[in-house]
């Protein structure tokens, strides 16, 4: 870590890489796909890191998706116009090719083109998710696979059911909360509040033509209704986890959402995950969490934001009860200097980063450092989320070294309940989006390294 005198600088050095009742309107405004030279992208680093564990996996993915380069893949992921040659003749081909991107031996890491003529990749019959090139590899891998087999079965079902979100055939049920907001503290209370209305909505999806078409196209037996309903609920929590986690931060940090002119939340390090399939209604739950709010502006800032959003420089007051979503493509500390300091956009009441990943590599840490120092030095209320307890410990230690004042951390009551498979290491324990959170405000952390390790080791 740099000396304190250098760490206090937050400007980027030249070398840095940096439903019943109609819902109040949520406005989304569109972003051109402009190439940016902004340094390391967590999407790019993540894609090519697949080869570290399974050599050649990135090229297999491109080949099966009819793409010639990562740039074509990234263009489609970002919501751009597909290039010539991209696409599939029918849903059956699409699902088959998507499944082919998971075909490698989980034990010896062999890809299809590396197998002898006598071998063929077959999936585990229990989870239908992990592949082996033969009985010997499967037997050898069983001690590791047995710990995650059941959970990976859920991943396999969710991966197919997610297509209903992409096509819009599964629309998230929404409507004003019928319980006092303070009574809704986690998913158990949220599901209890939604009750029979939610069950009826999910049942309608289960018997819809889209569901029939989906399972007729994937080449697998259709699971039982309770399995499919469980998948829909997990997908629902995956989408709503982000707006409700924003609400968790607004609540815990005591931010007044009834301020005249509205309140502003910046989501930093945003990528296609937060922006590609986001629809206006996805953030309605954030508004229902704060009845009587005078407007909430959510600005996504990141080098990987998708098309469909646009830079918003308006500082005009929001209409009470509305939520405005927009995005800016670029690094946050640049956005701050160009937009916030010049008064072209509002100062944030809260800054949130979903899975920033700065603990995982020096390049990402270097890219995030100016933003972390900016948040600290300007005393901006901030919340970050991580996938696992291990990431929580690592991220806390980095923030302590940066002298941030950590105000709270722990398990997120609105974490996604959808398990995420580690693509190139399928027998690694699945993780959950936004499983833990850290909140900090300003500098002078109250916990030293030894105190922090002791507290984390005691359990969160």
């Amino acid at each position: 870590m740099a000396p304190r005198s250098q760490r206090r600088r937050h400007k980027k050095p030249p070398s840095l890489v940096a439903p019943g009742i109609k819902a109040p309107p949520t406005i989304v405004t569109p972003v051109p796909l402009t190439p940016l030279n902004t340094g390391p992208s967590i999407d790019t680093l993540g894609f090519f890191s697949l080869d570290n564990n399974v050599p050649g996996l990135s090229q297999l993915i491109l080949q099966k998706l009819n793409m010639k380069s990562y740039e074509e893949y990234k263009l489609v992921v970002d919501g751009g116009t597909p290039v010539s040659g991209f696409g599939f003749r029918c849903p059956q081909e699409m699902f088959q090719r998507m499944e082919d991107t998971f075909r490698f031996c989980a034990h010896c890491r062999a890809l299809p083109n590396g197998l002898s003529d006598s071998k063929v990749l077959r999936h585990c019959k229990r989870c239908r998710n992990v592949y082996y090139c033969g009985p010997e590899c499967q037997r050898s891998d069983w001690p590791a696979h047995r710990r995650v087999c059941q959970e990976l079965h859920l991943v396999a079902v969710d991966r197919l059911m997610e297509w209903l979100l992409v096509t819009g055939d599964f629309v998230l049920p929404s409507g004003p909360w019928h319980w006092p907001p303070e009574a809704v503290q986690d998913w158990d209370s949220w599901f209890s509040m939604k009750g029979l209305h939610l069950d009826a909505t999910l049942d309608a999806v289960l018997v819809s033509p889209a569901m029939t078409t989906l399972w007729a196209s994937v080449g697998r037996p259709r699971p039982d209704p309770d399995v499919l309903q469980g998948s829909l609920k997990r997908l629902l929590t995956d989408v709503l986890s982000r707006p409700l986690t924003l609400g968790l931060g607004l609540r815990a940090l005591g931010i007044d959402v009834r301020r005249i002119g509205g309140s502003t939340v910046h989501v930093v390090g945003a990528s296609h995950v937060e922006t590609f399939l986001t629809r206006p209604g996805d953030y309605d739950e954030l508004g229902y969490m704060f009845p009587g709010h005078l407007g909430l502006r959510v600005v996504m800032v990141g080098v990987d934001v998708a098309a469909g959003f646009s830079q918003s420089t308006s500082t005009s007051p929001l209409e009470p009860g509305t939520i405005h979503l927009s995005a800016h493509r670029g690094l946050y500390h640049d956005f701050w200097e160009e937009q916030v300091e010049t008064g072209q956009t509002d100062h944030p009441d809260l800054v949130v980063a979903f899975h920033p990943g700065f603990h995982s590599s020096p390049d990402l840490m270097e890219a995030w450092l100016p933003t972390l120092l900016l948040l600290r030095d300007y005393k901006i209320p901030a919340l970050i989320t991580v996938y696992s307890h291990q990431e929580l410990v690592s991220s806390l230690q980095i923030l302590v070294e940066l002298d941030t004042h950590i105000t709270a951390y722990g398990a997120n009551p609105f974490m996604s309940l959808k398990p995420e498979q580690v693509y190139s290491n399928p027998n690694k324990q699945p993780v959950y989006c936004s499983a833990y959170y850290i909140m900090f405000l300003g500098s002078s952390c109250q916990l030293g390294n030894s105190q922090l390790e002791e507290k984390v080791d005691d359990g969160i």
Side-chain angles (χ1 to χ4, degrees):
M1 195 60 62
R4 184 181 178 88
S5 60
Q6 295 181 31
R7 287 191 280 115
R8 280 287 175 188
R9 296 169 55 205
H10 59 262
K11 290 182 181 291
K12 182 184 72 171
S15 63
L16 265 185
V17 207
I21 298 174
K22 186 176 181 180
T26 302
I27 306 164
V28 180
T29 53
V31 75
L33 285 170
T34 305
L36 294 176
N37 183 19
T38 50
S41 151
I42 195 167
D43 287 353
T44 305
L45 292 174
F47 185 82
F48 287 109
S49 70
L50 297 174
D51 294 336
N52 295 339
N53 203 44
V54 184
L57 182 56
S58 65
Q59 287 304 309
L60 173 71
I61 293 171
L62 295 176
Q63 174 196 345
K64 294 301 180 180
L65 297 181
N66 295 331
M67 296 177 181
K68 297 178 181 177
S69 67
Y70 173 76
E71 287 70 29
E72 292 184 5
Y73 172 86
K74 187 70 170 64
L75 180 66
V76 174
V77 166
D78 283 346
T81 303
V83 295
S84 176
F86 172 76
F88 307 100
R89 291 169 295 181
C90 60
Q92 289 86 347
E93 181 189 11
M94 178 191 69
F95 285 114
Q96 182 59 60
R97 284 186 168 267
M98 289 174 63
E99 184 61 29
D100 286 345
T101 66
F102 291 87
R103 287 181 184 270
F104 61 89
C105 181
H107 185 67
C108 71
R109 304 298 193 250
L111 295 173
N113 59 8
L115 297 177
S116 64
D117 293 340
S118 62
K119 290 190 173 183
V120 62
L121 289 165
R122 300 186 188 279
H123 58 64
C124 167
K125 292 183 179 180
R126 295 178 180 87
C127 68
R128 291 181 167 270
N129 198 340
V130 170
Y131 287 82
Y132 296 101
C133 63
E136 185 175 335
C137 274
Q138 186 167 11
R139 281 194 299 268
S140 299
D141 206 48
W142 178 240
H145 182 62
R146 69 186 303 171
R147 295 181 289 107
V148 295
C149 185
Q150 185 173 357
E151 210 166 357
L152 290 179
H153 172 66
L154 302 181
V155 173
V157 175
D158 292 350
R159 187 159 65 230
L160 297 172
M161 293 284 283
E162 204 164 16
W163 182 245
L164 298 176
L165 284 173
V166 176
T167 60
D169 291 301
F170 177 31
V171 178
L172 300 181
S174 187
W177 290 9
H178 303 298
W179 289 12
E182 59 273 13
V184 182
Q185 296 291 329
D186 52 25
W187 286 122
D188 285 343
S189 51
W190 188 89
F191 278 111
S192 294
M193 175 187 65
K194 293 296 182 178
L196 295 177
H197 174 69
L198 175 61
D199 290 340
T201 301
L202 299 182
D203 288 344
V205 177
L206 294 180
V207 299
S208 67
M211 184 69 76
T212 302
T213 300
L214 170 65
W215 288 99
S217 302
V218 300
R220 293 188 176 187
R222 176 171 172 159
D224 293 337
D226 59 332
V227 174
L228 297 179
Q229 186 178 83
S231 178
L232 290 175
K233 287 184 175 181
R234 291 191 297 275
L235 294 176
L236 186 154
T237 68
D238 190 56
V239 176
L240 295 184
S241 174
R242 288 184 284 275
L244 293 181
T245 298
L246 298 187
L248 175 72
L250 292 170
R251 270 182 180 174
L253 291 163
I255 294 166
D256 182 11
V257 297
R258 300 195 179 192
R259 194 185 64 196
I260 295 175
S263 304
T264 298
V265 178
H266 290 170
V267 177
V268 299
S271 71
H272 71 279
V273 175
E274 290 82 21
T275 55
F276 182 32
L277 293 177
T278 298
R279 294 178 172 87
D282 292 354
Y283 278 72
D284 287 349
E285 291 297 306
L286 177 60
Y288 299 138
M289 200 173 189
F290 299 97
H293 72 84
L294 298 183
L296 294 167
R297 181 179 284 111
V298 180
V299 185
M300 315 278 187
V301 183
V303 299
D304 292 314
V305 296
F309 286 79
S310 73
Q311 181 174 334
S312 175
T313 58
S314 172
T315 57
S316 57
L318 294 173
E319 290 292 325
T322 61
I323 299 176
H324 183 272
L325 304 181
S326 63
H328 177 93
R329 178 166 286 199
L331 296 168
Y332 187 66
H333 47 275
D334 291 336
F335 172 76
W336 182 275
E337 293 174 4
E338 298 164 6
Q339 300 287 329
V340 180
E341 286 188 344
T342 60
Q344 295 183 55
T345 193
D346 287 333
H347 190 283
D349 299 288
L350 173 68
V351 171
V352 175
F354 295 110
H355 313 112
F358 52 72
H359 70 285
S360 62
S361 78
D363 283 344
L364 284 174
M365 184 62 222
E366 187 182 14
W368 272 96
L369 185 58
T371 292
L372 294 173
L373 299 185
L374 184 155
L375 297 175
R376 181 197 67 188
D377 294 347
Y378 280 89
K379 299 181 179 178
I380 302 168
L383 179 153
I384 71 170
T385 69
V386 296
Y387 285 108
S388 66
H389 187 271
Q390 181 180 353
E391 287 189 19
L392 174 68
V393 174
S394 300
S395 300
L396 282 169
Q397 290 173 339
I398 290 172
L399 292 173
V400 167
E401 291 179 21
L402 293 178
D403 298 326
T404 57
H405 178 201
I406 298 170
T407 61
Y409 60 90
N412 182 3
F414 292 111
M415 65 181 277
S416 168
L417 301 181
K418 173 176 165 281
E420 300 288 344
Q421 179 178 350
V422 181
Y423 209 127
S424 62
N425 192 3
N427 284 325
K428 189 173 182 179
Q429 188 68 40
V431 296
Y432 295 82
C433 291
S434 298
Y436 295 91
Y437 67 85
I438 304 171
M439 300 183 196
F440 60 93
L441 176 62
S443 60
S444 300
C445 180
Q446 302 301 306
L447 294 176
N449 272 312
S450 59
Q451 294 172 293
L452 186 60
E453 290 171 5
E454 181 180 349
K455 187 165 183 179
V456 172
D457 288 341
D458 288 340
I460 296 175

CSV table of all heavy atoms in Angstrom, one decimal, residues 91-119:
chain,number,residue,atom,x,y,z
A,91,PRO,N,-34.5,-21.8,-31.0
A,91,PRO,CA,-34.3,-21.9,-29.6
A,91,PRO,C,-33.5,-23.2,-29.2
A,91,PRO,O,-32.6,-23.1,-28.3
A,91,PRO,CB,-35.7,-21.9,-28.9
A,91,PRO,CG,-36.5,-21.2,-29.9
A,91,PRO,CD,-36.0,-21.6,-31.3
A,92,GLN,N,-33.8,-24.3,-29.8
A,92,GLN,CA,-33.1,-25.5,-29.5
A,92,GLN,C,-31.6,-25.4,-29.7
A,92,GLN,O,-30.8,-25.8,-28.9
A,92,GLN,CB,-33.6,-26.7,-30.3
A,92,GLN,CG,-35.0,-27.1,-29.9
A,92,GLN,CD,-36.1,-26.3,-30.6
A,92,GLN,OE1,-35.9,-25.3,-31.2
A,92,GLN,NE2,-37.4,-26.8,-30.6
A,93,GLU,N,-31.2,-24.8,-30.8
A,93,GLU,CA,-29.8,-24.6,-31.1
A,93,GLU,C,-29.2,-23.7,-30.1
A,93,GLU,O,-28.0,-23.9,-29.6
A,93,GLU,CB,-29.6,-24.1,-32.5
A,93,GLU,CG,-28.1,-23.9,-32.8
A,93,GLU,CD,-27.9,-23.1,-34.1
A,93,GLU,OE1,-28.8,-22.6,-34.7
A,93,GLU,OE2,-26.7,-23.1,-34.6
A,94,MET,N,-29.9,-22.6,-29.7
A,94,MET,CA,-29.3,-21.6,-28.8
A,94,MET,C,-29.1,-22.3,-27.4
A,94,MET,O,-28.0,-22.2,-26.9
A,94,MET,CB,-30.3,-20.5,-28.6
A,94,MET,CG,-29.9,-19.5,-27.6
A,94,MET,SD,-31.2,-18.3,-27.1
A,94,MET,CE,-32.3,-19.4,-26.2
A,95,PHE,N,-30.0,-23.0,-26.9
A,95,PHE,CA,-29.8,-23.7,-25.6
A,95,PHE,C,-28.7,-24.7,-25.7
A,95,PHE,O,-28.0,-24.9,-24.7
A,95,PHE,CB,-31.1,-24.3,-25.1
A,95,PHE,CG,-32.1,-23.3,-24.6
A,95,PHE,CD1,-33.3,-23.0,-25.2
A,95,PHE,CD2,-31.9,-22.5,-23.5
A,95,PHE,CE1,-34.2,-22.1,-24.8
A,95,PHE,CE2,-32.8,-21.6,-23.0
A,95,PHE,CZ,-34.0,-21.4,-23.7
A,96,GLN,N,-28.7,-25.4,-26.8
A,96,GLN,CA,-27.6,-26.5,-26.9
A,96,GLN,C,-26.2,-25.8,-26.9
A,96,GLN,O,-25.3,-26.3,-26.2
A,96,GLN,CB,-27.8,-27.3,-28.2
A,96,GLN,CG,-26.8,-28.4,-28.4
A,96,GLN,CD,-26.8,-29.4,-27.2
A,96,GLN,OE1,-27.8,-30.0,-26.9
A,96,GLN,NE2,-25.7,-29.5,-26.5
A,97,ARG,N,-26.1,-24.8,-27.6
A,97,ARG,CA,-24.8,-24.1,-27.7
A,97,ARG,C,-24.4,-23.4,-26.4
A,97,ARG,O,-23.2,-23.4,-26.0
A,97,ARG,CB,-24.7,-23.1,-28.9
A,97,ARG,CG,-24.6,-23.8,-30.2
A,97,ARG,CD,-24.4,-22.8,-31.3
A,97,ARG,NE,-24.0,-23.4,-32.6
A,97,ARG,CZ,-22.8,-23.6,-33.0
A,97,ARG,NH1,-21.8,-23.2,-32.2
A,97,ARG,NH2,-22.5,-24.2,-34.1
A,98,MET,N,-25.4,-22.9,-25.7
A,98,MET,CA,-25.1,-22.3,-24.4
A,98,MET,C,-24.7,-23.4,-23.4
A,98,MET,O,-23.7,-23.2,-22.6
A,98,MET,CB,-26.4,-21.6,-23.9
A,98,MET,CG,-26.7,-20.3,-24.6
A,98,MET,SD,-28.2,-19.5,-24.1
A,98,MET,CE,-27.9,-19.2,-22.4
A,99,GLU,N,-25.3,-24.5,-23.5
A,99,GLU,CA,-24.9,-25.7,-22.6
A,99,GLU,C,-23.5,-26.2,-23.0
A,99,GLU,O,-22.7,-26.5,-22.1
A,99,GLU,CB,-25.9,-26.8,-22.7
A,99,GLU,CG,-25.7,-28.0,-21.8
A,99,GLU,CD,-25.7,-27.6,-20.3
A,99,GLU,OE1,-26.4,-26.6,-20.0
A,99,GLU,OE2,-25.0,-28.2,-19.5
A,100,ASP,N,-23.2,-26.1,-24.3
A,100,ASP,CA,-21.9,-26.6,-24.7
A,100,ASP,C,-20.7,-25.7,-24.1
A,100,ASP,O,-19.6,-26.2,-24.0
A,100,ASP,CB,-21.8,-26.5,-26.3
A,100,ASP,CG,-22.6,-27.6,-26.9
A,100,ASP,OD1,-22.9,-28.6,-26.2
A,100,ASP,OD2,-22.8,-27.5,-28.2
A,101,THR,N,-21.0,-24.5,-23.7
A,101,THR,CA,-20.0,-23.7,-23.1
A,101,THR,C,-19.6,-24.2,-21.8
A,101,THR,O,-18.5,-23.7,-21.2
A,101,THR,CB,-20.4,-22.2,-23.0
A,101,THR,OG1,-21.5,-22.1,-22.1
A,101,THR,CG2,-20.8,-21.7,-24.4
A,102,PHE,N,-20.3,-25.1,-21.2
A,102,PHE,CA,-20.0,-25.7,-19.9
A,102,PHE,C,-19.4,-27.0,-20.0
A,102,PHE,O,-19.1,-27.7,-19.0
A,102,PHE,CB,-21.3,-25.8,-19.0
A,102,PHE,CG,-21.8,-24.4,-18.6
A,102,PHE,CD1,-22.7,-23.7,-19.4
A,102,PHE,CD2,-21.5,-23.9,-17.4
A,102,PHE,CE1,-23.2,-22.5,-19.0
A,102,PHE,CE2,-22.0,-22.7,-16.9
A,102,PHE,CZ,-22.9,-22.0,-17.8
A,103,ARG,N,-19.2,-27.5,-21.2
A,103,ARG,CA,-18.7,-28.9,-21.4
A,103,ARG,C,-17.2,-28.9,-21.4
A,103,ARG,O,-16.5,-28.7,-22.3
A,103,ARG,CB,-19.2,-29.4,-22.8
A,103,ARG,CG,-20.6,-29.7,-22.8
A,103,ARG,CD,-21.0,-30.2,-24.2
A,103,ARG,NE,-22.4,-30.5,-24.3
A,103,ARG,CZ,-23.0,-31.6,-24.0
A,103,ARG,NH1,-22.3,-32.6,-23.6
A,103,ARG,NH2,-24.3,-31.8,-24.2
A,104,PHE,N,-16.7,-29.3,-20.2
A,104,PHE,CA,-15.3,-29.6,-20.0
A,104,PHE,C,-15.3,-30.6,-18.8
A,104,PHE,O,-16.1,-30.5,-17.9
A,104,PHE,CB,-14.4,-28.4,-19.8
A,104,PHE,CG,-14.7,-27.6,-18.6
A,104,PHE,CD1,-14.2,-27.9,-17.4
A,104,PHE,CD2,-15.6,-26.5,-18.7
A,104,PHE,CE1,-14.5,-27.1,-16.2
A,104,PHE,CE2,-16.0,-25.7,-17.6
A,104,PHE,CZ,-15.4,-26.0,-16.4
A,105,CYS,N,-14.2,-31.4,-18.7
A,105,CYS,CA,-14.2,-32.3,-17.6
A,105,CYS,C,-13.8,-31.6,-16.3
A,105,CYS,O,-12.8,-30.9,-16.2
A,105,CYS,CB,-13.1,-33.4,-17.9
A,105,CYS,SG,-13.0,-34.6,-16.5
A,106,ALA,N,-14.7,-31.7,-15.3
A,106,ALA,CA,-14.5,-31.0,-14.0
A,106,ALA,C,-13.3,-31.5,-13.3
A,106,ALA,O,-12.8,-30.9,-12.4
A,106,ALA,CB,-15.8,-31.2,-13.2
A,107,HIS,N,-12.8,-32.7,-13.6
A,107,HIS,CA,-11.7,-33.3,-12.9
A,107,HIS,C,-10.3,-33.0,-13.6
A,107,HIS,O,-9.4,-32.4,-13.0
A,107,HIS,CB,-11.8,-34.8,-12.7
A,107,HIS,CG,-10.8,-35.4,-11.9
A,107,HIS,ND1,-10.6,-35.1,-10.5
A,107,HIS,CD2,-9.8,-36.3,-12.2
A,107,HIS,CE1,-9.6,-35.8,-10.1
A,107,HIS,NE2,-9.0,-36.5,-11.0
A,108,CYS,N,-10.2,-33.4,-14.9
A,108,CYS,CA,-9.0,-33.2,-15.6
A,108,CYS,C,-8.9,-32.0,-16.4
A,108,CYS,O,-7.9,-31.7,-17.0
A,108,CYS,CB,-8.7,-34.5,-16.4
A,108,CYS,SG,-9.7,-34.7,-17.9
A,109,ARG,N,-10.1,-31.3,-16.5
A,109,ARG,CA,-10.2,-30.0,-17.3
A,109,ARG,C,-10.1,-30.2,-18.8
A,109,ARG,O,-9.9,-29.2,-19.5
A,109,ARG,CB,-9.1,-29.0,-16.8
A,109,ARG,CG,-9.1,-28.7,-15.3
A,109,ARG,CD,-10.4,-28.1,-14.9
A,109,ARG,NE,-10.4,-27.5,-13.5
A,109,ARG,CZ,-11.0,-28.1,-12.5
A,109,ARG,NH1,-11.7,-29.2,-12.6
A,109,ARG,NH2,-10.9,-27.5,-11.3
A,110,ALA,N,-10.3,-31.4,-19.3
A,110,ALA,CA,-10.2,-31.6,-20.7
A,110,ALA,C,-11.4,-31.0,-21.4
A,110,ALA,O,-12.5,-31.1,-21.0
A,110,ALA,CB,-10.1,-33.1,-21.0
A,111,LEU,N,-11.1,-30.3,-22.6
A,111,LEU,CA,-12.2,-29.7,-23.4
A,111,LEU,C,-12.5,-30.8,-24.5
A,111,LEU,O,-11.8,-31.7,-24.7
A,111,LEU,CB,-11.7,-28.4,-24.1
A,111,LEU,CG,-11.4,-27.3,-23.2
A,111,LEU,CD1,-10.7,-26.1,-23.9
A,111,LEU,CD2,-12.6,-26.8,-22.5
A,112,PRO,N,-13.7,-30.6,-25.1
A,112,PRO,CA,-14.1,-31.6,-26.1
A,112,PRO,C,-13.1,-31.8,-27.2
A,112,PRO,O,-12.9,-33.0,-27.6
A,112,PRO,CB,-15.4,-30.9,-26.7
A,112,PRO,CG,-15.9,-30.1,-25.6
A,112,PRO,CD,-14.7,-29.5,-24.9
A,113,ASN,N,-12.4,-30.8,-27.7
A,113,ASN,CA,-11.4,-31.0,-28.8
A,113,ASN,C,-10.1,-31.7,-28.3
A,113,ASN,O,-9.2,-32.0,-29.1
A,113,ASN,CB,-11.1,-29.7,-29.5
A,113,ASN,CG,-10.5,-28.6,-28.5
A,113,ASN,OD1,-10.2,-28.9,-27.3
A,113,ASN,ND2,-10.4,-27.4,-29.0
A,114,GLY,N,-10.0,-31.9,-27.0
A,114,GLY,CA,-8.8,-32.5,-26.4
A,114,GLY,C,-9.0,-34.0,-26.1
A,114,GLY,O,-8.1,-34.6,-25.5
A,115,LEU,N,-10.2,-34.5,-26.3
A,115,LEU,CA,-10.5,-35.9,-26.0
A,115,LEU,C,-10.2,-36.9,-27.1
A,115,LEU,O,-10.2,-36.5,-28.3
A,115,LEU,CB,-12.0,-36.0,-25.7
A,115,LEU,CG,-12.6,-35.2,-24.5
A,115,LEU,CD1,-14.1,-35.4,-24.4
A,115,LEU,CD2,-11.9,-35.6,-23.2
A,116,SER,N,-9.8,-38.1,-26.7
A,116,SER,CA,-9.6,-39.1,-27.7
A,116,SER,C,-10.9,-39.6,-28.2
A,116,SER,O,-12.0,-39.3,-27.6
A,116,SER,CB,-8.8,-40.3,-27.0
A,116,SER,OG,-9.6,-40.9,-26.0
A,117,ASP,N,-10.9,-40.3,-29.3
A,117,ASP,CA,-12.1,-40.8,-30.0
A,117,ASP,C,-12.9,-41.7,-29.0
A,117,ASP,O,-14.2,-41.8,-29.2
A,117,ASP,CB,-11.8,-41.5,-31.3
A,117,ASP,CG,-11.2,-40.6,-32.3
A,117,ASP,OD1,-11.4,-39.4,-32.2
A,117,ASP,OD2,-10.6,-41.1,-33.2
A,118,SER,N,-12.3,-42.3,-28.1
A,118,SER,CA,-13.0,-43.3,-27.2
A,118,SER,C,-13.7,-42.6,-26.0
A,118,SER,O,-14.4,-43.2,-25.3
A,118,SER,CB,-12.0,-44.3,-26.7
A,118,SER,OG,-11.0,-43.7,-25.9
A,119,LYS,N,-13.5,-41.3,-25.9
A,119,LYS,CA,-14.1,-40.6,-24.7
A,119,LYS,C,-15.1,-39.5,-25.2
A,119,LYS,O,-15.0,-39.0,-26.3
A,119,LYS,CB,-13.0,-39.9,-23.9
A,119,LYS,CG,-12.1,-40.8,-23.2
A,119,LYS,CD,-11.2,-40.1,-22.2
A,119,LYS,CE,-10.4,-41.0,-21.4
A,119,LYS,NZ,-9.5,-40.3,-20.3
